[in-house]
Structures are given as C-alpha cells and as structure tokens.
Amino acid sequence: MKPHVLGRSHAQGLDVDACGTPRFTTGAEVVRHLGAVQSQLHDMALWSIGRRCGRTLDELQAEFDDGAFVRTHVLRPTWHDVMLEDLWWLQSLTARRVHRLGAAQRREHDIDDALLADARAATSVALATGPATRDELARALVAAGVEVTVPQMTHVAMHLETECLIASGPLQGTQHTYRLLPPAPPAPPERPRDDLLADVARRYARGHGAFRDRDLAWWTSLTLTEARRAIELAGLSLRTIDGEAYAVPDHVVDADPAPATLLSNYDEYFSYSRDPPDFEQTSDSPEQILRGTGLLLVDGALAGRWTRTIRTTTVDVDVICRPTMTGPLRRAVEREADAFGRFLGRVARLTVSG
C-alpha cells in the first residue's frame, strides 16, 4: 500500500456506502470537513466538492453564490474554497507567511504599504453596492484616485483577500467577481498561536488522513519547524511507514480506494508534498500532470490524466491512462465519466488512450 493511501480515501470523503451514496450531502459539508479545497479552476474545484456529495455544478454554484462557502487566497498563495467560519483563524495563522511569500512580486510591481492602504479604503467603498469584476474594481480604484495598473491589481486583490476584506463573488457571465466579506464576529482575546497550530494539524489529519510534517508544511505554508510543533501540540500519534514518520488521526478507517477515480488536478487527495514515486505509474512528468484538467487514480494511485471539452448537451472526457485498460477498469472509468456528465448536466462521451 502506498503511504499516501493509508486512511486517505475515507478521510477525503471519497468512499461511499453500500448503496453508493456519498457521506456528505452539501458542498459546505465537504469544504468544512476537508478544511479547504484548492480552487484555481472554479468549476473543477466544484467537481472536487461534487464528487464527494453528489451535487451538480448548478447546485454547488448556487451554494457558492449564497455564501455557503467562500473562494479566496488562504493557506498558500493560491485560491481555496473555505468556510467563512474557518477563514479568520486560518488567515490569522498563515496570512503572514503568504504575505512574505508574495513580497518580492509586490516590490517588482512597485506596490508599497501606502498603495495597499489606499486600495483597501477605496475597495470598501467600491464594493459596498455589490460585487464587481477585477477590471471594474480597478477602474473604480482609479476613479477614486488610487492609481493601480492591471498587473498591480492582481497582487493588490490577493493582499486584500489575505486581509479578509474581499473574496470571490458570483460569476458574471464567465468572469469572476469580488465581493466584500462581512467583518469578523466579536471574538474573545486573540487565541495563542500554539492553539491555532494544534487546530490546523487536527483539521489536516481529519480531512487528509495520515501525513508527514512536510505535507502539513506544504499545505499551510508554515515552516517545517512549526509543522512539527503543530503535530506535537495536536497530540497526534506517530507511525513509521517506509522509514518515514506519519502523524495518524485518532480514528483511521482504511477503506479500499475505488478501482478508478477522476479528480480535479488540484484535488485535495493530492494536496501534500509529492515525491517522484507518486508519479511512477504515469507516462507524464509532474508538470504535465498538474497542468492538465484532471487526475486519474487507479486503486488510489495516480495513473494518468484527463481533459474535458464541454459542449451544449455533451461533454467529451478524454483519458490518458498508462496501465493496461482491462475490461473492469474501462467500466470503472466509464462510471466516473458518467458521474462527471451528470455533474455538468450533460451526456459524457469517453475516449481512452495510453
């Protein structure tokens, strides 16, 4: 068994009951359980969520539009879907590191503290009447006397997201928008950082299964030293697997992985510090795999990639698979493609190549 498979299918919510019913019923339940869902590609992040709760793209988009969960930069310098109730404490723990990781790019684009302060004030006014696209927000800032270029706007918006001022809003056609976040609720005195470290280790264990210190460091942008402290503070037991120490959740259900699974290329199942052996069953480089639309898992291990072409009533699902496509594996992939078609409200047309 691959170490990253130990308890991972169940912890990830990818197993189903005897009737094939997912454990979760809403997108918010999935996001809360996983802690965060990486979301560069919004529709494919919703597929990651839908794969675990059985909801369609339209149903999950409605949840998102209603604010059941939010899409913002948190944990790492990239988008994640996260529960609003978790956003404030996660940003309290990790935003400082994310700011530090983006400091060089801000300097490169001449973004200083004064510009960020002016942009924050102007954004609060510009979005008070409702969501706006990035271009609309940039024009509103310029109109308010905040001279910000298009390249600067990307980094300014990321900074304002990590400051919990804004997050992605409802789609406007095919364009993302920004909306203001509500202010943080009244809270007791600031929680000690050690409490936050313990909480993030427990949350990662709950939604990802057994993990190494460097996996937690990768997920959170924390230092390796802080990740190790987080594991210790969380009281997680350690188990040696193939010569490496894994922190193990209190409750491990080692469910068998599905014979085939089609996931988003940034699915949380693959959200850990990867090693060369993780790619040994594929014919592509890690860069090719992660630049694609999705991942093919065979018996829980990465075995290929797939792309989708969405048409009016159909979706073409093109799978590249290195293992021999036996009859049972082909049928398992067909079931996955059909599930993706239902998610989109379209008929799936599958092609498989080696």
Side-chain angles (χ1 to χ4, degrees):
M1 175 183 293
K2 294 284 187 182
H4 67 269
V5 176
L6 177 64
R8 199 167 185 85
S9 290
H10 180 80
Q12 283 275 301
L14 289 172
D15 56 337
V16 297
D17 65 18
C19 298
T21 304
R23 297 210 324 266
F24 306 104
T25 58
T26 68
E29 288 178 5
V30 174
V31 173
R32 182 179 291 110
H33 174 78
L34 294 177
V37 175
Q38 196 167 337
S39 184
Q40 277 96 323
L41 298 175
H42 177 62
D43 66 324
M44 291 305 291
L46 294 184
W47 165 239
S48 287
I49 296 169
R51 180 66 178 69
R52 292 164 167 85
C53 67
R55 288 204 155 194
T56 67
L57 174 63
D58 288 344
E59 290 170 336
L60 290 173
Q61 186 63 50
E63 272 196 66
F64 175 80
D65 290 349
D66 289 342
F69 51 92
V70 299
R71 177 178 182 263
T72 190
H73 280 82
V74 63
L75 293 174
R76 304 187 298 282
T78 190
W79 282 283
H80 286 83
D81 290 318
V82 65
M83 298 300 294
L84 187 59
E85 67 209 44
D86 292 322
L87 178 60
W88 290 296
W89 74 267
L90 285 174
Q91 293 290 30
S92 177
L93 177 65
T94 65
R96 185 169 53 196
R97 285 279 295 175
V98 174
H99 284 323
R100 192 174 303 152
L101 291 170
Q105 289 181 313
R106 289 195 299 274
R107 287 194 299 270
E108 179 183 344
H109 291 283
D110 297 321
I111 300 171
D112 57 17
D113 290 343
L115 175 59
L116 293 173
D118 290 343
R120 181 183 181 92
T123 296
S124 297
V125 174
L127 298 182
T129 56
T133 66
R134 181 178 295 175
D135 288 346
E136 290 170 341
L137 179 55
R139 289 195 294 270
L141 296 189
V142 172
V146 182
E147 295 297 330
V148 57
T149 65
V150 172
Q152 285 178 323
M153 192 64 217
T154 298
H155 301 284
V156 168
M158 183 188 302
H159 179 87
L160 298 181
E161 286 180 291
T162 55
E163 292 294 301
C164 293
L165 180 70
I166 61 175
S168 296
L171 289 175
Q172 185 173 299
T174 59
Q175 294 190 65
H176 288 283
T177 64
Y178 290 106
R179 59 180 161 195
L180 288 177
L181 289 174
E190 184 175 351
R191 296 175 62 199
R193 188 169 179 83
D194 279 358
D195 288 356
L196 300 179
L197 288 170
D199 279 355
V200 82
R202 294 189 191 103
R203 181 63 63 90
Y204 188 66
R206 184 183 76 182
H208 295 76
F211 67 92
R212 302 162 297 187
D213 49 14
R214 56 195 174 98
D215 299 328
L216 180 62
W218 183 91
W219 194 67
T220 58
S221 296
L222 295 173
T223 66
L224 192 58
T225 297
E226 283 193 303
R228 289 169 179 161
R229 180 161 179 77
I231 293 169
E232 179 183 357
L233 291 167
L236 297 173
S237 60
L238 297 178
R239 183 184 303 180
T240 300
I241 304 174
D242 288 347
E244 291 192 274
Y246 279 73
V248 181
D250 294 335
H251 182 60
V252 175
V253 177
D254 200 18
D256 291 333
T261 313
L262 295 180
L263 299 178
S264 163
N265 63 333
Y266 293 113
D267 192 274
E268 286 298 308
Y269 186 90
F270 210 54
S271 193
Y272 59 92
S273 180
R274 272 86 63 177
D275 301 304
D278 295 317
F279 301 91
E280 63 187 5
Q281 294 191 47
T282 71
S283 56
D284 298 313
S285 68
E287 292 74 20
Q288 287 174 309
I289 289 287
L290 294 177
R291 281 201 303 266
T293 299
L295 309 174
L296 167 66
L297 304 183
V298 173
D299 293 328
L302 181 64
R305 55 190 169 94
W306 62 284
T307 59
R308 86 284 196 222
T309 304
I310 301 173
R311 307 186 191 281
T312 304
T313 60
T314 62
V315 55
D316 295 333
V317 178
D318 300 311
V319 175
I320 299 173
C321 177
R322 182 177 177 184
T324 301
M325 186 59 64
T326 62
L329 179 56
R330 170 82 189 206
R331 290 190 289 275
V333 174
E334 287 174 349
R335 289 193 294 271
E336 286 291 296
D338 288 343
F340 184 66
R342 290 192 297 273
F343 168 74
L344 295 177
R346 288 166 170 78
V347 176
R349 301 189 300 188
L350 175 68
T351 60
V352 178
S353 59

